[in-house]
Amino acid sequence: MRVNIYYGGRGLVDDPTLFVLEKMEKVLDELRVVVERYNLYEEKSSIMVLPKTLKEADGVILAASVEWIGIGGFLQQFLDACWLYGDKENLARIYMMPVAMATTYGEREVECFLIRAWEMLGGIPSEGLCAYVENHVDFETNAEYNLLIEKRTENFYRMISKKTAAFPNSNMQIKKSVLKGSTLSLTPKESEQLSTYVSNDNYVKKQKEDIEELANLFSGMLGGNDESDDYVNKLKDNFYPMDDMNAIFQIDLVDENSSIILDIREDQLNCYRGTVERADVTAKVKSQVFSDIVNGVKSFQGAFMSGDLSAQGNFKILRNFDTIFRF
C-alpha cells in the first residue's frame, strides 16, 4: 500500500499541521505503508506535474494550514493541476483524507472544501481530521489528541485496505451536468506531457514570444501593408530615424476598437494594425484627434498636454514622438 501526503502550508516551525503529519507518518510506517510526502512550498515550480505522482498511490492525505482563510495557494494549484491534467480514471480509485489545522477560524470549511474537491475529481473521500490550535505546544503534548490522530490514521488505513465503498453524491452529478473540465480530448499520457510543458517557464515564455511574432507577421500582412490604411501610410512617410532609439508605441484608437503598433529599431520602422504584449508607450486617443496629429493640425505632445490623448509608460520616449514623426 502507498499513501502520498501533499502539504499545502508554508513549513513554519510552529505549524501544527506538520506535527499531525509526522504522527500520521509514524503510524503508517508501523503499518508497513509506503509514505511519500510532498511539501508543495518546496515543489512550487513543478506543481503542475505533481498529478503524475498519484499513479502508484492507493490513498492521499491533503493537508492544509489555515492561517487566515481557505486552503492557501499551493494546495489550490495542486488541485487545479489534478483537474486539468490528472488521470480521472486513476483518481476514481484513490481514497483521500483531508487534514485541516487552523490557527484562526475556518478549519471545518476547509475540510468540507477538500472533500467536495476530491469528489468532483472523482475520488473517494474519507473521514477527515480538523482542529483549531490556539497553542501548538499544548496541542502537541495532549495525550488524548495524539491518540485521536493515531485512531483516525488507522481508520484511513482500514478504509483503503478493505476498499470500502462510498455512497453516491450530488457533486458527481454537478460534475456531469455543469463542470466540463478541459475541452481538449487528451489521453492521460498527453495530459501529463502538457502539464510538463506548462510547468516549464522557459517553454511558456518561448511560446508567447513565438505567438507574438506570428501575430505581428500576420498583422503586417493583413493590415500593415494595406495601402488603404491612411494612418499607417502617413506614419511611414513621415518617419525620421533617431539615433539609439529602440521603442514600441501602441496607439489605441478607442472609437475604432483597434490599435496601431509602431515598432522602432533605430532606422527601421515596423508599423501595422494589431497588438503587442508589451509597449514602451501606450496611448489612447479618438480617431479624429489622431487624424489631426498625422495631418499636422496638432502635435502628439500638444494633444497629450490638452487632455485629448492619454498615455502611460516611458514619458521620455513619449516626448520624442514629435521628433521621430514630423507631419
Side-chain angles (χ1 to χ4, degrees):
M1 184 187 297
R2 182 186 183 92
V3 172
N4 289 355
I5 298 174
Y6 299 92
Y7 166 64
R10 296 186 293 148
L12 302 179
V13 176
D14 59 350
D15 186 351
T17 310
L18 291 174
F19 167 75
V20 172
L21 293 181
E22 288 170 5
K23 292 288 295 182
M24 296 179 78
E25 286 181 69
K26 185 177 179 181
V27 173
L28 292 171
D29 285 339
E30 291 173 354
L31 294 170
R32 297 185 180 180
V33 176
V34 178
V35 180
E36 185 76 27
R37 190 207 292 186
Y38 296 91
N39 295 323
L40 298 182
Y41 68 92
E42 295 175 347
E43 308 277 352
K44 57 186 176 183
S45 63
S46 58
I47 287 179
M48 288 300 168
V49 299
L50 284 183
K52 69 180 181 181
T53 62
L54 295 166
K55 279 184 178 180
E56 305 300 325
D58 299 292
V60 300
I61 296 172
L62 300 181
S65 298
V66 186
E67 296 184 55
W68 75 287
I69 189 172
I71 65 173
F74 296 137
L75 197 51
Q76 181 66 63
Q77 287 180 51
F78 173 69
L79 291 171
D80 288 345
C82 289
W83 174 256
L84 294 170
Y85 311 117
D87 182 346
K88 301 302 191 297
E89 292 183 6
N90 182 55
L91 285 168
R93 65 169 184 80
I94 300 177
Y95 293 84
M96 186 279 294
M97 179 178 179
V99 174
M101 309 304 295
T103 54
T104 183
Y105 173 81
E107 72 281 359
R108 293 285 183 189
E109 287 79 359
V110 165
E111 179 188 23
C112 291
F113 176 85
L114 293 174
I115 289 173
R116 289 199 305 272
W118 200 254
E119 286 176 340
M120 288 183 180
L121 287 170
I124 308 166
S126 74
E127 180 184 18
L129 196 160
C130 67
Y132 165 69
V133 180
E134 185 174 6
N135 186 304
H136 74 95
V137 176
D138 292 341
F139 179 80
E140 293 171 12
T141 55
N142 188 300
E144 292 182 351
Y145 296 160
N146 279 261
L147 182 60
L148 187 57
I149 294 170
E150 293 174 4
K151 293 298 182 184
R152 293 285 175 87
T153 307
E154 290 170 1
N155 289 341
F156 183 52
Y157 168 80
R158 293 189 189 97
M159 186 175 187
I160 299 173
S161 60
K162 293 181 180 180
K163 298 189 181 301
T164 305
F167 284 113
N169 61 81
S170 58
N171 285 330
M172 289 304 298
Q173 295 305 315
I174 292 173
K175 177 184 174 183
K176 290 178 182 178
S177 60
V178 180
L179 300 175
K180 302 301 183 184
S182 173
T183 56
L184 297 176
S185 179
L186 302 175
T187 65
K189 185 175 181 180
E190 290 170 336
S191 293
E192 186 175 310
Q193 290 173 339
L194 181 58
S195 69
T196 302
Y197 291 136
V198 169
S199 67
N200 188 325
D201 292 338
N202 291 329
Y203 176 83
V204 173
K205 182 179 179 182
K206 182 65 168 62
Q207 290 298 300
K208 287 183 178 179
E209 291 173 352
D210 290 345
I211 291 170
E212 181 181 341
E213 184 177 343
L214 286 170
N216 292 343
L217 174 64
F218 285 110
S219 294
M221 292 171 63
L222 296 174
N225 294 327
D226 187 352
E227 294 181 359
S228 66
D229 195 325
D230 189 50
Y231 293 142
V232 171
N233 292 333
K234 286 190 176 181
L235 287 162
K236 288 180 177 179
D237 293 341
N238 294 276
F239 173 62
Y240 292 82
M242 183 176 177
D243 292 340
D244 299 323
M245 172 56 73
N246 294 284
I248 298 176
F249 290 84
Q250 177 172 313
I251 312 296
D252 294 333
L253 302 176
V254 293
D255 49 343
E256 292 185 11
N257 197 27
S258 67
S259 300
I260 298 174
I261 306 302
L262 306 172
D263 189 348
I264 302 166
R265 294 292 174 263
E266 296 188 350
D267 62 343
Q268 299 294 319
L269 169 65
N270 184 17
C271 182
Y272 57 90
R273 293 267 187 167
T275 59
V276 68
E277 185 174 348
R278 185 175 180 180
D280 296 290
V281 174
T282 300
K284 296 183 184 297
V285 62
K286 290 184 178 180
S287 55
Q288 181 57 54
V289 176
F290 195 63
S291 292
D292 290 343
I293 293 173
V294 298
N295 288 314
V297 176
K298 62 173 63 177
S299 66
F300 190 88
Q301 183 72 12
F304 174 70
M305 296 301 292
S306 65
D308 292 331
L309 177 150
S310 64
Q312 60 182 12
N314 189 322
F315 282 83
K316 182 179 180 181
I317 293 175
L318 182 150
R319 287 194 293 270
N320 287 321
F321 186 94
D322 291 324
T323 302
I324 304 169
F325 298 98
R326 305 172 193 170
F327 302 104

